[in-house]
Amino acid sequence: MSSTPTSNTPRSGPQPARNAPCPCGSGRKYKQCCGRNGGLSDEEALAERRGRQLLQTCREAQQAVFRETKKIVDRDTFIAANEAWFGAAGIEYTDPVSVPIQELFLEWLVHQYELDGPADGDGPRTVVAHYLARRRPVPARRRYLEASLREPLSYWEVEEVGPGPWVRLSDRFLPRSVRVYDRSISQSVHEGAVLFGYFVEDGDIAVIAVVAEMPIVGRHLALVDELAERIEGQVETPEDLFRLWPDLLATYGQYLQAMEAPAMPRIYTPDGDPLEITTLRYTVVGGDGGVLAETLRDAADFAVDDQRAAESDADEEVHAVWFGVGGREESGTSLHGSLHFDDEHLVAELMSAKRAVALRERLMELFGERLRFVSSQSKGIEEALFDDASRQPKPPPAAGLELDPDNLPAEILDVMRQRFLAWADENVPALGGLTPREAMESEVGRVRVAELVDDWERMGRGQAPMPGADFAALRAELGLDEEG
């Protein structure tokens, strides 16, 4: 593949109207002068035409080979190939997360999967090799298929998005680059993104045979970096990548699963401690929660919710909040923990393990032997708010910290609000793997992001309010509030 792709001179400023005078000063209309190729230079226009022709050859060759596949690949062979491919990815074929690599599987099946029986020529017996040995495709189609047999699956980084319908990609494992002409990809990727798939070159023009649907972007690029470190020294030629396809595919499988369950960023309390929900449980000795309530009312660093108690039955539990060791004067409106108790049990919930230690010491000072410590349990914020099985918000628990926006401590609400707004920088499959903020850079992307936010807000109407959800703030964060 070419290592010195031709450069283009970027054009700046708005494109003139077709019937406007050409800005080059020729005196002719733009459409009859510099605009006759859609604003491209003669060199770019010629390259695009060649790219379109090669892409058309690619599609025709693929259709012919897939027809051949139906004739020579039986059901058992297809199942075996399917299990090998999706097994390497660590994903079930029936799992919706597998969709981005299903088309890529078919390309791998015809080019790389070795069939039973005698080889066709010098290489392994594949569907494409079988087709070339027994059919007589037109020269352009044969040239394309022969080139495709030499190109392994790989990861390609977007180095440059040209002003025309092209992008320059570099192989992450080999010192080679390729200039790809394809208007659809040049309008949908950003520099720095990594594509996973097959590219085929004919002369100095290359096209995409197939790529996985979602480019790898953002923090997930670390997966490709880790793969490059693992196989360092094992790849010197494209042939070396053929045998490493399971490793390459496993990395993309990890990416797809990470997209389904994005990692939550590390969050800290205003004190600088790691944020984690810590629950303390006590038994009330003597069976008199009223004494606890009176003691807390007199303490400067606690506040008892008397209004809530007055509105409930006498035997209901009492709720209180803790403002920290410094009391209300130091913490202001910042709550360090919440408590609820009755005549038998007391449960306290705090936002860090350090605060839990401080509260234990404070309760021992206030109540001594009136409280008997039972247990302490800590959970990360993601574990506390999301169910590991479905990665969806948990329903409010029957007791303890309830996800009620009107009663949640201010710090928890703020964390959940920040988590909600962080969606702006999460990779979204519906946006082709881009983050909403990245998608907003294009006109089409702005429309799609606006639709997603509107749909999300509509889905929540008529249901219990989502703690931390602030759609006005999300629109402002993305710049959607500037839309007319």
Side-chain angles (χ1 to χ4, degrees), residues 93 223 352 418 445:
Y93 174 73
L223 292 171
S352 76
Q418 293 305 317

Side-chain angles (χ1 to χ4, degrees), residues 115-119 125:
L115 304 174
D116 294 333
R125 184 173 186 255

Side-chain angles (χ1 to χ4, degrees), residues 140-197:
R141 193 177 299 175
R142 173 174 288 277
R143 208 165 47 242
Y144 168 83
L145 289 173
E146 289 175 345
S148 71
L149 285 174
R150 298 189 294 270
E151 289 303 327
L153 195 61
S154 192
Y155 285 91
W156 297 84
E157 181 173 350
V158 179
E159 286 193 344
E160 183 180 3
V161 179
W166 64 272
V167 294
R168 183 156 57 92
L169 308 173
S170 63
D171 195 318
R172 284 299 308 269
F173 312 116
L174 291 167
R176 59 178 185 163
S177 63
V178 58
R179 194 180 187 197
V180 178
Y181 286 85
D182 189 321
R183 188 174 296 276
S184 64
I185 190 172
S186 68
Q187 295 177 350
S188 61
V189 298
H190 296 261
E191 292 178 6
V194 171
L195 306 178
F196 178 51

Side-chain angles (χ1 to χ4, degrees), residues 268-398:
Y268 297 87
T269 69
D271 303 331
D273 305 320
L275 184 66
E276 51 187 351
I277 307 297
T278 302
T279 304
L280 303 176
R281 299 184 184 278
Y282 291 85
T283 297
V284 178
V285 179
D288 190 351
V291 174
L292 303 186
E294 290 301 323
T295 303
L296 294 181
R297 286 190 183 95
D298 294 336
D301 50 341
F302 288 88
V304 176
D305 190 347
D306 289 313
Q307 181 179 356
R308 184 168 179 175
E311 293 173 351
S312 64
D313 296 334
D315 58 351
E316 289 289 330
E317 54 187 22
V318 177
H319 292 256
V321 294
W322 181 51
F323 294 100
V325 175
R328 200 176 312 202
E329 291 183 1
E330 285 191 17
S331 67
T333 59
S334 178
L335 305 180
H336 282 215
S338 63
L339 303 85
H340 56 90
F341 55 90
D342 53 23
D343 289 339
E344 297 181 358
H345 305 286
L346 181 145
V347 178
E349 283 148 336
L350 306 100
M351 303 304 291
S352 76
K354 185 176 179 180
R355 290 181 179 181
V357 171
L359 180 59
R360 282 188 64 180
E361 293 176 353
R362 180 61 173 144
L363 292 177
M364 176 62 67
E365 178 186 340
L366 288 174
F367 301 113
E369 296 182 358
R370 286 186 178 274
L371 287 180
R372 181 182 300 122
F373 178 73
V374 176
S375 66
S376 174
Q377 182 182 21
S378 295
K379 292 183 178 181
I381 187 66
E382 187 172 19
E383 183 184 1
L385 299 179
F386 291 85
D387 176 28
D388 290 337
S390 66
R391 309 301 295 177
Q392 297 297 318
K394 290 183 179 180

